[in-house]
Amino acid sequence: MTYNDPVVFHEYAIDVADACHERDIKAVAVTAGYVCPAPRAEFYRRMDAANIDLKAFTDRFYRDLCAGDLATVLDTLVYVREHTQVWLEVTTLLIPGENDSDRELDEMTRWLAANLGADVPLHFSAFHPDFRMRDRPWTSLATLTRARQIALGNGLHHVYTGNIRDAEGSSTRCRTCGGLLIGRDGYQLLEWNLDEKGRCLACHSLCPGVFAGPPWATQGPRQEKIPC
């Protein structure tokens, strides 16, 4: 991790979110989703969006590598989806030999589709060896692409690859007509084919997300400012 989970500084995170809202600034939590029910409810009442890490889909991984348990994280995912207005996205860091088997990816993405719905975005991120896990290789683009295809095959509409340059895997396509909605290259936007309400310009289907009009006023690539 390159950050501290906001549930570690629970009260401060809530105070910051409240101060942001006074200035019409959105609060986004990036978290492992490992939190008890009472503080979880208090925390997510203040958040506008959350990216929750689903680190794996086995109890073995959570027990041996995270000193936690899978059930608590799954419960948080369902809670945020069903009981809050928080915009939810999920991220899984794929570690070669630990959580990247076809079977585990199939079970995980089937669960996500059944319990969170097809429109919750899922990000597969590439691992690089560091700190206490230098005995594993970098995650290949082939592994990320395989995971993405399994997820799409199980009905998820918006599945992305991250920590690697992959134009197709990082772009957003219309779930109805398949047209390119948001073309990305790294952190740059190359295309934006949505109207001011987030509808596809080709077929007018609504793209799930939080939108505030086009991210730029003139033609040409710009930094992305809106999470999708």
Side-chain angles (χ1 to χ4, degrees), residues 93-166:
L93 180 72
L94 290 182
I95 305 174
E98 292 288 354
N99 63 351
D100 63 340
S101 70
D102 284 357
R103 178 177 178 178
E104 182 169 344
L105 293 169
D106 180 65
E107 291 177 352
M108 181 183 75
T109 54
R110 286 181 184 275
W111 186 93
L112 291 171
N115 291 274
L116 304 185
D119 289 328
V120 171
L122 171 62
H123 304 263
F124 287 119
S125 296
F127 165 85
H128 67 270
D130 205 350
F131 194 41
R132 295 180 179 176
M133 192 171 279
R134 298 183 182 181
D135 60 335
R136 296 289 188 229
W138 291 67
T139 309
S140 68
L141 176 59
T143 294
L144 295 175
T145 301
R146 171 172 56 84
R148 182 170 181 264
Q149 291 303 315
I150 290 172
L152 292 171
N154 283 335
L156 297 181
H157 292 149
H158 302 292
V159 186
Y160 302 97
T161 56
N163 288 352
I164 200 166
R165 296 297 286 270
D166 176 18

Side-chain angles (χ1 to χ4, degrees), residues 44-95:
Y44 284 107
R45 278 199 297 270
R46 293 350 198 273
M47 297 300 139
D48 299 287
N51 191 310
I52 297 179
D53 288 344
L54 178 56
K55 297 184 181 297
F57 205 67
T58 64
D59 291 317
R60 191 274 313 169
F61 186 104
Y62 270 94
R63 181 186 65 249
D64 296 347
L65 298 183
C66 305
D69 68 87
L70 173 61
T72 298
V73 180
L74 298 183
D75 189 57
T76 295
L77 288 168
V78 172
Y79 172 82
V80 172
R81 180 61 171 167
E82 294 186 354
H83 301 288
T84 77
Q85 297 300 311
V86 173
W87 173 253
L88 174 64
E89 304 198 9
V90 179
T91 293
T92 298
L93 180 72
L94 290 182
I95 305 174

Side-chain angles (χ1 to χ4, degrees), residues 171-172 180-184 189 191-194 211 224 228:
S171 295
T172 299
L180 183 63
L181 298 179
I182 306 173
R184 299 181 180 90
L189 288 177
E191 289 196 48
W192 184 269
N193 299 313
L194 295 163
F211 301 97
E224 184 172 2
C228 303

